[in-house]
Amino acid sequence: MSAHAHGPANRGRRVLDAAAPLFVCEPAGRPVGGALVLHDVFGVTDHAEEVCRALAREGRLAVSSYLYHERGGPAFAADELARARAHMTELTAADLAADVGAALGYLEARRAGPVLVVGFSMGGHLATWAAADHVVEAAVAVSPSAGPWPGVPAVEALVARRRSPWLGVVGGADERVDADRLRAAAGRPGPPAAVEVVDGAGHGFYRAGMAEHDGGLWPLVRDFLGRRGPLG
Protein backbone atom coordinates (compact mmCIF):
# COMPACT_ATOMS: atom_id res chain seq x y z
CA MET A 1 0.00 0.00 0.00
CA SER A 2 1.28 3.45 -0.83
CA ALA A 3 -0.06 6.97 -0.38
CA HIS A 4 0.57 10.14 -2.35
CA ALA A 5 -1.07 13.32 -3.56
CA HIS A 6 -2.39 13.55 -7.07
CA GLY A 7 -4.21 16.16 -9.14
CA PRO A 8 -6.68 14.54 -11.55
CA ALA A 9 -7.35 15.95 -14.98
CA ASN A 10 -9.79 18.82 -15.24
CA ARG A 11 -13.28 17.34 -15.73
CA GLY A 12 -16.42 19.32 -16.39
CA ARG A 13 -15.16 22.63 -15.03
CA ARG A 14 -14.40 26.07 -16.40
CA VAL A 15 -11.22 26.06 -18.49
CA LEU A 16 -9.05 27.87 -15.93
CA ASP A 17 -10.25 25.84 -12.93
CA ALA A 18 -8.46 22.76 -11.66
CA ALA A 19 -10.20 19.95 -9.81
CA ALA A 20 -9.25 19.44 -6.18
CA PRO A 21 -6.04 17.43 -5.82
CA LEU A 22 -6.34 14.02 -4.21
CA PHE A 23 -4.72 12.16 -1.36
CA VAL A 24 -4.34 8.67 -2.85
CA CYS A 25 -3.76 5.34 -1.12
CA GLU A 26 -2.91 2.43 -3.38
CA PRO A 27 -3.83 -1.13 -2.33
CA ALA A 28 -1.13 -3.81 -2.20
CA GLY A 29 -2.47 -5.57 -5.29
CA ARG A 30 -5.01 -5.00 -8.01
CA PRO A 31 -7.94 -2.96 -6.61
CA VAL A 32 -11.10 -4.82 -5.71
CA GLY A 33 -12.94 -1.50 -5.74
CA GLY A 34 -12.54 2.22 -5.27
CA ALA A 35 -13.29 4.54 -2.37
CA LEU A 36 -13.82 8.27 -2.09
CA VAL A 37 -13.43 9.74 1.40
CA LEU A 38 -15.03 13.16 1.90
CA HIS A 39 -13.60 15.03 4.87
CA ASP A 40 -15.31 16.96 7.64
CA VAL A 41 -14.95 20.67 8.39
CA PHE A 42 -11.27 20.28 9.35
CA GLY A 43 -10.17 19.06 5.91
CA VAL A 44 -7.92 16.13 4.99
CA THR A 45 -6.64 15.50 8.50
CA ASP A 46 -4.84 12.45 9.89
CA HIS A 47 -8.29 10.93 10.39
CA ALA A 48 -9.24 11.22 6.72
CA GLU A 49 -5.86 9.84 5.68
CA GLU A 50 -6.20 6.89 8.07
CA VAL A 51 -9.64 6.07 6.67
CA CYS A 52 -8.07 5.98 3.20
CA ARG A 53 -5.30 3.70 4.45
CA ALA A 54 -7.81 1.37 6.08
CA LEU A 55 -9.82 1.14 2.88
CA ALA A 56 -6.62 0.49 0.92
CA ARG A 57 -5.88 -2.40 3.29
CA GLU A 58 -9.29 -3.70 2.26
CA GLY A 59 -8.00 -3.75 -1.31
CA ARG A 60 -9.62 -0.51 -2.46
CA LEU A 61 -7.95 2.32 -4.35
CA ALA A 62 -8.85 5.07 -1.87
CA VAL A 63 -8.77 8.82 -2.45
CA SER A 64 -9.71 11.92 -0.49
CA SER A 65 -10.30 15.28 -2.14
CA TYR A 66 -8.52 18.36 -0.78
CA LEU A 67 -11.67 20.48 -0.92
CA TYR A 68 -9.91 23.47 0.67
CA HIS A 69 -7.04 23.50 -1.83
CA GLU A 70 -7.94 26.97 -3.12
CA ARG A 71 -8.51 28.40 0.36
CA GLY A 72 -5.25 28.27 2.23
CA GLY A 73 -4.57 24.68 3.17
CA PRO A 74 -5.67 21.06 3.16
CA ALA A 75 -6.46 20.78 6.89
CA PHE A 76 -7.03 22.63 10.15
CA ALA A 77 -6.27 21.69 13.76
CA ALA A 78 -9.02 21.00 16.28
CA ASP A 79 -8.53 24.45 17.86
CA GLU A 80 -9.04 26.19 14.49
CA LEU A 81 -12.76 25.44 14.19
CA ALA A 82 -13.70 29.05 13.41
CA ARG A 83 -11.21 29.25 10.54
CA ALA A 84 -12.28 25.86 9.26
CA ARG A 85 -15.94 26.86 9.28
CA ALA A 86 -15.13 30.07 7.43
CA HIS A 87 -13.43 28.05 4.70
CA MET A 88 -16.33 25.60 4.59
CA THR A 89 -18.84 28.41 4.01
CA GLU A 90 -16.76 29.75 1.10
CA LEU A 91 -17.13 26.52 -0.86
CA THR A 92 -19.69 26.63 -3.66
CA ALA A 93 -22.10 24.00 -4.91
CA ALA A 94 -20.59 24.18 -8.40
CA ASP A 95 -17.04 23.60 -7.18
CA LEU A 96 -18.06 20.84 -4.79
CA ALA A 97 -19.97 19.02 -7.52
CA ALA A 98 -17.01 19.33 -9.86
CA ASP A 99 -14.50 18.15 -7.26
CA VAL A 100 -16.57 15.09 -6.31
CA GLY A 101 -17.18 14.33 -9.98
CA ALA A 102 -13.48 14.63 -10.75
CA ALA A 103 -12.54 12.25 -7.93
CA LEU A 104 -15.08 9.70 -9.16
CA GLY A 105 -13.77 10.23 -12.69
CA TYR A 106 -10.23 9.52 -11.50
CA LEU A 107 -11.31 6.23 -9.93
CA GLU A 108 -13.20 5.32 -13.09
CA ALA A 109 -10.17 6.12 -15.25
CA ARG A 110 -8.04 3.92 -12.98
CA ARG A 111 -10.58 1.09 -13.44
CA ALA A 112 -10.75 0.72 -9.69
CA GLY A 113 -14.09 -1.09 -9.74
CA PRO A 114 -17.24 -0.36 -7.68
CA VAL A 115 -16.81 2.82 -5.68
CA LEU A 116 -17.72 3.28 -2.02
CA VAL A 117 -18.21 6.93 -0.98
CA VAL A 118 -17.67 7.68 2.72
CA GLY A 119 -18.23 11.14 4.19
CA PHE A 120 -17.98 12.64 7.66
CA SER A 121 -20.12 15.51 8.98
CA MET A 122 -20.12 18.04 6.09
CA GLY A 123 -18.61 15.23 4.00
CA GLY A 124 -21.59 13.09 4.96
CA HIS A 125 -23.81 15.70 3.30
CA LEU A 126 -21.61 15.51 0.21
CA ALA A 127 -21.58 11.71 0.24
CA THR A 128 -25.38 11.77 0.30
CA TRP A 129 -25.37 14.22 -2.60
CA ALA A 130 -23.11 11.82 -4.48
CA ALA A 131 -25.61 9.01 -3.85
CA ALA A 132 -28.36 11.17 -5.34
CA ASP A 133 -26.41 12.37 -8.40
CA HIS A 134 -24.20 9.37 -9.20
CA VAL A 135 -24.49 5.60 -9.37
CA VAL A 136 -21.92 4.14 -6.95
CA GLU A 137 -21.60 0.92 -4.98
CA ALA A 138 -22.85 2.71 -1.86
CA ALA A 139 -22.57 5.95 0.06
CA VAL A 140 -21.97 6.06 3.80
CA ALA A 141 -22.75 9.32 5.60
CA VAL A 142 -21.32 9.51 9.11
CA SER A 143 -22.80 12.28 11.29
CA PRO A 144 -24.20 13.92 8.12
CA SER A 145 -24.71 17.52 9.18
CA ALA A 146 -26.00 20.04 6.68
CA GLY A 147 -23.43 22.12 4.83
CA PRO A 148 -24.14 25.85 4.30
CA TRP A 149 -24.06 25.75 0.52
CA PRO A 150 -26.86 27.33 -1.53
CA GLY A 151 -27.82 24.97 -4.31
CA VAL A 152 -27.08 21.77 -2.39
CA PRO A 153 -30.37 20.15 -1.30
CA ALA A 154 -30.94 19.13 2.32
CA VAL A 155 -29.64 15.74 3.40
CA GLU A 156 -33.15 14.30 3.83
CA ALA A 157 -34.19 15.41 0.33
CA LEU A 158 -31.10 13.80 -1.16
CA VAL A 159 -31.72 10.53 0.67
CA ALA A 160 -35.28 10.50 -0.62
CA ARG A 161 -34.14 10.78 -4.26
CA ARG A 162 -31.06 8.55 -3.98
CA ARG A 163 -29.78 6.64 -7.00
CA SER A 164 -27.37 4.51 -4.99
CA PRO A 165 -27.55 2.53 -1.74
CA TRP A 166 -27.13 4.82 1.28
CA LEU A 167 -26.22 4.26 4.92
CA GLY A 168 -26.41 6.95 7.57
CA VAL A 169 -24.45 6.42 10.79
CA VAL A 170 -25.47 8.79 13.58
CA GLY A 171 -24.23 9.13 17.16
CA GLY A 172 -26.94 8.52 19.72
CA ALA A 173 -25.97 11.73 21.53
CA ASP A 174 -25.63 13.81 18.37
CA GLU A 175 -27.95 16.82 18.66
CA ARG A 176 -27.06 18.11 15.19
CA VAL A 177 -28.49 15.20 13.20
CA ASP A 178 -32.13 14.06 13.33
CA ALA A 179 -32.02 10.27 12.92
CA ASP A 180 -35.82 10.01 12.72
CA ARG A 181 -36.03 12.39 9.75
CA LEU A 182 -33.25 10.46 8.01
CA ARG A 183 -35.11 7.18 8.62
CA ALA A 184 -38.27 8.64 7.10
CA ALA A 185 -36.34 9.69 3.99
CA ALA A 186 -34.61 6.30 3.81
CA GLY A 187 -38.03 4.68 3.78
CA ARG A 188 -38.88 6.30 0.44
CA PRO A 189 -38.76 3.97 -2.61
CA GLY A 190 -35.32 3.52 -4.11
CA PRO A 191 -32.08 1.61 -3.61
CA PRO A 192 -31.46 0.14 -0.14
CA ALA A 193 -31.08 2.71 2.62
CA ALA A 194 -30.72 2.52 6.37
CA VAL A 195 -29.88 4.59 9.42
CA GLU A 196 -27.81 3.12 12.24
CA VAL A 197 -27.21 4.73 15.62
CA VAL A 198 -23.99 4.38 17.63
CA ASP A 199 -25.16 4.44 21.25
CA GLY A 200 -23.81 7.27 23.38
CA ALA A 201 -21.70 8.79 20.61
CA GLY A 202 -21.61 12.53 19.94
CA HIS A 203 -21.33 14.32 16.63
CA GLY A 204 -17.60 13.92 16.03
CA PHE A 205 -17.27 10.45 17.55
CA TYR A 206 -15.39 9.16 14.52
CA ARG A 207 -12.44 11.49 15.17
CA ALA A 208 -11.41 9.52 18.26
CA GLY A 209 -9.89 6.86 16.01
CA MET A 210 -11.12 3.90 14.06
CA ALA A 211 -9.91 1.27 16.53
CA GLU A 212 -11.83 2.81 19.43
CA HIS A 213 -15.09 2.63 17.52
CA ASP A 214 -14.50 -0.69 15.78
CA GLY A 215 -17.44 -2.03 17.70
CA GLY A 216 -19.70 0.61 16.16
CA LEU A 217 -18.93 2.29 12.87
CA TRP A 218 -17.03 -0.09 10.64
CA PRO A 219 -18.97 -3.30 11.31
CA LEU A 220 -22.11 -1.37 10.36
CA VAL A 221 -20.52 -0.38 7.05
CA ARG A 222 -19.27 -3.91 6.45
CA ASP A 223 -22.67 -5.42 7.15
CA PHE A 224 -24.43 -2.89 4.93
CA LEU A 225 -22.16 -3.85 2.04
CA GLY A 226 -22.84 -7.50 2.70
CA ARG A 227 -19.16 -8.12 3.35
CA ARG A 228 -17.14 -9.81 6.07
CA GLY A 229 -13.54 -9.21 7.01
CA PRO A 230 -11.47 -6.39 8.51
CA LEU A 231 -12.25 -2.79 7.64
CA GLY A 232 -9.36 -1.18 9.40
Side-chain angles (χ1 to χ4, degrees), residues 117-198:
V117 182
V118 183
F120 300 88
S121 193
M122 80 168 207
H125 192 170
L126 298 178
T128 307
W129 195 19
D133 282 6
H134 301 273
V135 177
V136 295
E137 178 185 11
V140 178
V142 184
S143 299
S145 63
W149 310 299
V152 181
V155 176
E156 294 86 355
L158 293 167
V159 174
R161 66 174 178 86
R162 64 194 178 277
R163 298 175 60 195
S164 300
W166 179 87
L167 172 65
V169 183
V170 180
D174 187 349
E175 298 180 352
R176 295 172 55 185
V177 181
D178 190 328
D180 290 335
R181 292 181 64 180
L182 290 177
R183 285 196 184 96
R188 297 285 295 275
V195 177
E196 299 287 353
V197 175
V198 179

Side-chain angles (χ1 to χ4, degrees), residues 5-95:
H6 179 84
N10 185 29
R11 295 174 62 87
R13 307 192 68 182
R14 296 186 301 274
V15 173
L16 295 180
D17 282 347
L22 301 174
F23 175 83
V24 180
C25 280
E26 305 272 354
R30 183 171 181 175
V32 300
L36 170 58
V37 176
L38 295 166
H39 63 69
D40 65 10
V41 67
F42 295 106
V44 182
T45 58
D46 291 344
H47 167 262
E49 292 184 2
E50 178 52 32
V51 173
C52 287
R53 294 187 182 98
L55 291 167
R57 290 193 292 270
E58 280 269 299
R60 293 178 181 269
L61 174 61
V63 305
S64 187
S65 299
Y66 289 99
L67 299 175
Y68 294 155
H69 72 110
E70 293 180 343
R71 292 168 173 81
F76 296 92
D79 61 358
E80 296 181 297
L81 179 58
R83 287 185 62 208
R85 283 178 171 165
H87 281 63
M88 177 180 68
T89 60
E90 291 174 358
L91 299 173
T92 68
D95 281 346

Side-chain angles (χ1 to χ4, degrees), residues 205-231:
F205 73 91
Y206 54 85
R207 297 190 199 112
M210 296 178 65
E212 180 174 336
H213 293 285
D214 190 57
L217 175 56
W218 296 106
L220 295 174
V221 177
R222 198 162 55 229
D223 291 345
F224 185 73
L225 294 174
R227 301 180 58 182
R228 296 297 183 267
L231 223 172

